[in-house]
Amino acid sequence: GAGVSQSPSNKVTEKGKDVELRCDPISGHTALYWYRQSLGQGLEFLIYFQGNSAPDKSGLPSDRFSAERTGGSVSTLTIQRTQQEDSAVYLCASSALAGGADTQYFGPGTRLTVL
Amino acid sequence: SQKIEQNSEALNIQEGKTATLTCNYTNYSPAYLQWYRQDPGRGPVFLLLIRENEKEKRKERLKVTFDTTLKQSLFHITASQPADSATYLCALENNAGNMLTFGGGTRLMVKP
């Protein structure tokens, strides 16, 4: 079956522009996560959606970052007024359930470059 | 503060040897611990999950141990192959029990 997909795979933008990154999770998965990974670094948690509950936004680095999950499926991560330090790979993952007992399935990521 | 520590230096080993990677944590009480593999330019891929009441879990050439007293997990790859070269991430259930927190990963290089 289809895995987690993300688009675009690469995005180059100019400093100050807004960008939208899209994630299509595995059908039926209730939990969706966004992470950021800088070159050679680990995963930095950004935001987590679980079913119809309010999202856990505790990892968002600034108010320039926001995310939505429409209809419990597709999610969009928006970065406003991008800065060079936002350059990284943005990874989305989904899992059937929430919590540490469930496997997270990752998409291929979106590589964002802010010039 | 909460920490998950994996050796940030790459581990270089010879093909055929056993690779052992370490994951240490502080101020967590995870009921579950997972290991993932990440290849360059790709998202992490799940390998193994171990529960707090399991001391050891095996899958083919992989073995994971989980010592809740030492607050440590060891990840072993026996008879390593160059194709095992990748970054390996451990992930713990957070204290709220609602998601995983990932370590920084250790890069493994298996030389032929």
Side-chain angles (χ1 to χ4, degrees), chain A residues 69-113:
Chain A
R69 188 178 185 191
T70 53
S73 181
V74 170
S75 178
T76 302
L77 177 69
T78 301
I79 309 173
Q80 296 178 310
R81 305 181 302 281
T82 51
Q83 304 294 313
Q84 287 181 333
E85 60 262 30
D86 299 334
S87 296
V89 175
Y90 289 81
L91 289 161
C92 172
S94 70
S95 63
L97 302 169
D102 205 23
T103 300
Q104 291 191 17
Y105 295 85
F106 284 82
T110 294
R111 181 174 297 278
L112 175 66
T113 303

Side-chain angles (χ1 to χ4, degrees), chain A residues 33 35 37 42-43 45 48 56 91 98-104 106-108, chain B residues 32 34 36 38 41-44 46 49 89 93 97-100 102-104:
Chain A
Y33 311 81
Y35 298 91
Q37 189 171 38
L43 298 178
F45 165 73
Y48 155 59
D56 179 345
L91 289 161
D102 205 23
T103 300
Q104 291 191 17
F106 284 82
Chain B
Y32 305 94
Q34 301 188 24
Y36 288 74
Q38 187 174 23
R42 296 181 177 269
F46 170 77
L49 177 149
L89 304 162
E93 180 184 53
N98 62 354
M99 72 174 84
L100 294 175
F102 285 82

